[in-house]
Amino acid sequence: MSKKTIHEDLFKQYAETVKSHTGINIFENTRKQGFVLARAVVVNAIRKEYPDTTFHKIKKMFKDNGKDYDHASVLHAVKTYDTYSDPKYGMSYEKQQGLLNGYTLEDLTYKLNKALKLKQDIMKRLDDSSINELKKLKKCFRMQ
């Protein structure tokens, strides 16, 4: 049985998805609350979808992309995500939207999961496709 861990390419896609929606670069070396929240969303999504990914591996992926991050920061992001996202105990939706440029933590998590699902669907279709179907698809992309 293979372990379910995230690959560097997908990690970068998560970061890019967050940046495209919020304008926040999770690799920027800042402790501003919006950046901390965006990182918490990414870390939480990774830990839920790829439970065998270690804190050390997540830390390494952040460091490889220029963010000074350690495994304790990863652990903190995991532990505090639920507190941040629950407006009853943590932050109001309005405050989350203010920090994440119009998104709540729930919204952003949904966007990440949707992007992941889309990628998985595309990969499955490619795996199941014949060469002729791939050639037709390639032709369609050239037309756009």
Side-chain angles (χ1 to χ4, degrees), residues 9-23:
D9 293 344
L10 186 55
F11 178 75
K12 287 180 181 179
Q13 284 183 320
Y14 275 137
E16 191 54 44
T17 300
V18 168
K19 188 175 182 180
S20 70
H21 288 290
T22 66

PDB file of all heavy atoms in Angstrom, residues 9-23:
ATOM      1  N   ASP A   9       4.800  19.552  -7.138  1.00  0.00           N
ATOM      2  CA  ASP A   9       4.018  20.235  -8.181  1.00  0.00           C
ATOM      3  C   ASP A   9       2.625  20.605  -7.693  1.00  0.00           C
ATOM      4  O   ASP A   9       2.145  21.706  -7.936  1.00  0.00           O
ATOM      5  CB  ASP A   9       3.894  19.363  -9.434  1.00  0.00           C
ATOM      6  CG  ASP A   9       5.213  19.160 -10.138  1.00  0.00           C
ATOM      7  OD1 ASP A   9       6.171  19.908  -9.856  1.00  0.00           O
ATOM      8  OD2 ASP A   9       5.303  18.237 -10.970  1.00  0.00           O
ATOM      9  N   LEU A  10       1.982  19.664  -7.004  1.00  0.00           N
ATOM     10  CA  LEU A  10       0.635  19.936  -6.506  1.00  0.00           C
ATOM     11  C   LEU A  10       0.670  20.975  -5.389  1.00  0.00           C
ATOM     12  O   LEU A  10      -0.200  21.833  -5.298  1.00  0.00           O
ATOM     13  CB  LEU A  10      -0.026  18.643  -6.027  1.00  0.00           C
ATOM     14  CG  LEU A  10      -1.491  18.764  -5.622  1.00  0.00           C
ATOM     15  CD1 LEU A  10      -2.338  19.356  -6.752  1.00  0.00           C
ATOM     16  CD2 LEU A  10      -2.032  17.406  -5.221  1.00  0.00           C
ATOM     17  N   PHE A  11       1.689  20.918  -4.557  1.00  0.00           N
ATOM     18  CA  PHE A  11       1.861  21.918  -3.498  1.00  0.00           C
ATOM     19  C   PHE A  11       1.933  23.315  -4.123  1.00  0.00           C
ATOM     20  O   PHE A  11       1.274  24.248  -3.659  1.00  0.00           O
ATOM     21  CB  PHE A  11       3.128  21.611  -2.694  1.00  0.00           C
ATOM     22  CG  PHE A  11       3.425  22.605  -1.618  1.00  0.00           C
ATOM     23  CD1 PHE A  11       2.691  22.616  -0.443  1.00  0.00           C
ATOM     24  CD2 PHE A  11       4.438  23.532  -1.768  1.00  0.00           C
ATOM     25  CE1 PHE A  11       2.962  23.533   0.569  1.00  0.00           C
ATOM     26  CE2 PHE A  11       4.723  24.444  -0.770  1.00  0.00           C
ATOM     27  CZ  PHE A  11       3.978  24.454   0.402  1.00  0.00           C
ATOM     28  N   LYS A  12       2.698  23.435  -5.185  1.00  0.00           N
ATOM     29  CA  LYS A  12       2.807  24.730  -5.868  1.00  0.00           C
ATOM     30  C   LYS A  12       1.471  25.141  -6.479  1.00  0.00           C
ATOM     31  O   LYS A  12       1.139  26.331  -6.515  1.00  0.00           O
ATOM     32  CB  LYS A  12       3.898  24.679  -6.937  1.00  0.00           C
ATOM     33  CG  LYS A  12       5.285  24.681  -6.342  1.00  0.00           C
ATOM     34  CD  LYS A  12       6.340  24.637  -7.428  1.00  0.00           C
ATOM     35  CE  LYS A  12       7.732  24.605  -6.830  1.00  0.00           C
ATOM     36  NZ  LYS A  12       8.766  24.527  -7.858  1.00  0.00           N
ATOM     37  N   GLN A  13       0.693  24.164  -6.950  1.00  0.00           N
ATOM     38  CA  GLN A  13      -0.634  24.485  -7.500  1.00  0.00           C
ATOM     39  C   GLN A  13      -1.558  25.018  -6.405  1.00  0.00           C
ATOM     40  O   GLN A  13      -2.336  25.941  -6.640  1.00  0.00           O
ATOM     41  CB  GLN A  13      -1.258  23.253  -8.156  1.00  0.00           C
ATOM     42  CG  GLN A  13      -0.657  22.951  -9.506  1.00  0.00           C
ATOM     43  CD  GLN A  13      -1.338  21.775 -10.160  1.00  0.00           C
ATOM     44  OE1 GLN A  13      -1.670  20.778  -9.518  1.00  0.00           O
ATOM     45  NE2 GLN A  13      -1.544  21.873 -11.454  1.00  0.00           N
ATOM     46  N   TYR A  14      -1.473  24.420  -5.223  1.00  0.00           N
ATOM     47  CA  TYR A  14      -2.256  24.944  -4.099  1.00  0.00           C
ATOM     48  C   TYR A  14      -1.875  26.402  -3.842  1.00  0.00           C
ATOM     49  O   TYR A  14      -2.738  27.267  -3.697  1.00  0.00           O
ATOM     50  CB  TYR A  14      -1.977  24.145  -2.823  1.00  0.00           C
ATOM     51  CG  TYR A  14      -2.793  22.888  -2.627  1.00  0.00           C
ATOM     52  CD1 TYR A  14      -2.194  21.722  -2.164  1.00  0.00           C
ATOM     53  CD2 TYR A  14      -4.166  22.855  -2.854  1.00  0.00           C
ATOM     54  CE1 TYR A  14      -2.934  20.562  -1.941  1.00  0.00           C
ATOM     55  CE2 TYR A  14      -4.910  21.714  -2.637  1.00  0.00           C
ATOM     56  CZ  TYR A  14      -4.292  20.575  -2.173  1.00  0.00           C
ATOM     57  OH  TYR A  14      -5.029  19.448  -1.955  1.00  0.00           O
ATOM     58  N   ALA A  15      -0.583  26.658  -3.770  1.00  0.00           N
ATOM     59  CA  ALA A  15      -0.103  28.017  -3.511  1.00  0.00           C
ATOM     60  C   ALA A  15      -0.579  28.975  -4.604  1.00  0.00           C
ATOM     61  O   ALA A  15      -1.015  30.100  -4.313  1.00  0.00           O
ATOM     62  CB  ALA A  15       1.419  28.031  -3.411  1.00  0.00           C
ATOM     63  N   GLU A  16      -0.511  28.541  -5.840  1.00  0.00           N
ATOM     64  CA  GLU A  16      -0.935  29.381  -6.959  1.00  0.00           C
ATOM     65  C   GLU A  16      -2.439  29.624  -6.937  1.00  0.00           C
ATOM     66  O   GLU A  16      -2.908  30.722  -7.258  1.00  0.00           O
ATOM     67  CB  GLU A  16      -0.507  28.749  -8.287  1.00  0.00           C
ATOM     68  CG  GLU A  16      -0.662  29.648  -9.481  1.00  0.00           C
ATOM     69  CD  GLU A  16       0.037  31.003  -9.329  1.00  0.00           C
ATOM     70  OE1 GLU A  16       1.184  31.043  -8.853  1.00  0.00           O
ATOM     71  OE2 GLU A  16      -0.581  32.030  -9.684  1.00  0.00           O
ATOM     72  N   THR A  17      -3.219  28.612  -6.546  1.00  0.00           N
ATOM     73  CA  THR A  17      -4.672  28.774  -6.435  1.00  0.00           C
ATOM     74  C   THR A  17      -5.013  29.822  -5.392  1.00  0.00           C
ATOM     75  O   THR A  17      -5.854  30.692  -5.612  1.00  0.00           O
ATOM     76  CB  THR A  17      -5.340  27.423  -6.092  1.00  0.00           C
ATOM     77  OG1 THR A  17      -5.052  26.483  -7.130  1.00  0.00           O
ATOM     78  CG2 THR A  17      -6.846  27.567  -5.946  1.00  0.00           C
ATOM     79  N   VAL A  18      -4.341  29.755  -4.243  1.00  0.00           N
ATOM     80  CA  VAL A  18      -4.563  30.746  -3.187  1.00  0.00           C
ATOM     81  C   VAL A  18      -4.191  32.134  -3.696  1.00  0.00           C
ATOM     82  O   VAL A  18      -4.941  33.101  -3.520  1.00  0.00           O
ATOM     83  CB  VAL A  18      -3.755  30.394  -1.913  1.00  0.00           C
ATOM     84  CG1 VAL A  18      -3.739  31.566  -0.933  1.00  0.00           C
ATOM     85  CG2 VAL A  18      -4.319  29.160  -1.246  1.00  0.00           C
ATOM     86  N   LYS A  19      -3.058  32.233  -4.364  1.00  0.00           N
ATOM     87  CA  LYS A  19      -2.601  33.539  -4.869  1.00  0.00           C
ATOM     88  C   LYS A  19      -3.557  34.093  -5.926  1.00  0.00           C
ATOM     89  O   LYS A  19      -3.870  35.288  -5.921  1.00  0.00           O
ATOM     90  CB  LYS A  19      -1.193  33.421  -5.439  1.00  0.00           C
ATOM     91  CG  LYS A  19      -0.594  34.756  -5.806  1.00  0.00           C
ATOM     92  CD  LYS A  19       0.842  34.614  -6.241  1.00  0.00           C
ATOM     93  CE  LYS A  19       1.435  35.967  -6.558  1.00  0.00           C
ATOM     94  NZ  LYS A  19       2.827  35.855  -6.978  1.00  0.00           N
ATOM     95  N   SER A  20      -4.044  33.231  -6.815  1.00  0.00           N
ATOM     96  CA  SER A  20      -4.929  33.717  -7.879  1.00  0.00           C
ATOM     97  C   SER A  20      -6.264  34.212  -7.326  1.00  0.00           C
ATOM     98  O   SER A  20      -6.870  35.109  -7.893  1.00  0.00           O
ATOM     99  CB  SER A  20      -5.148  32.634  -8.942  1.00  0.00           C
ATOM    100  OG  SER A  20      -5.935  31.582  -8.435  1.00  0.00           O
ATOM    101  N   HIS A  21      -6.717  33.638  -6.224  1.00  0.00           N
ATOM    102  CA  HIS A  21      -7.994  34.064  -5.651  1.00  0.00           C
ATOM    103  C   HIS A  21      -7.848  35.223  -4.667  1.00  0.00           C
ATOM    104  O   HIS A  21      -8.706  36.097  -4.625  1.00  0.00           O
ATOM    105  CB  HIS A  21      -8.688  32.887  -4.962  1.00  0.00           C
ATOM    106  CG  HIS A  21      -9.239  31.884  -5.923  1.00  0.00           C
ATOM    107  ND1 HIS A  21     -10.315  32.128  -6.737  1.00  0.00           N
ATOM    108  CD2 HIS A  21      -8.838  30.632  -6.221  1.00  0.00           C
ATOM    109  CE1 HIS A  21     -10.558  31.088  -7.491  1.00  0.00           C
ATOM    110  NE2 HIS A  21      -9.660  30.153  -7.194  1.00  0.00           N
ATOM    111  N   THR A  22      -6.783  35.222  -3.879  1.00  0.00           N
ATOM    112  CA  THR A  22      -6.667  36.220  -2.809  1.00  0.00           C
ATOM    113  C   THR A  22      -5.584  37.263  -3.051  1.00  0.00           C
ATOM    114  O   THR A  22      -5.567  38.290  -2.386  1.00  0.00           O
ATOM    115  CB  THR A  22      -6.348  35.538  -1.460  1.00  0.00           C
ATOM    116  OG1 THR A  22      -5.048  34.941  -1.543  1.00  0.00           O
ATOM    117  CG2 THR A  22      -7.391  34.510  -1.092  1.00  0.00           C
ATOM    118  N   GLY A  23      -4.660  36.963  -3.955  1.00  0.00           N
ATOM    119  CA  GLY A  23      -3.517  37.856  -4.155  1.00  0.00           C
ATOM    120  C   GLY A  23      -2.423  37.639  -3.120  1.00  0.00           C
ATOM    121  O   GLY A  23      -1.443  38.382  -3.090  1.00  0.00           O
TER     122      GLY A  23
END
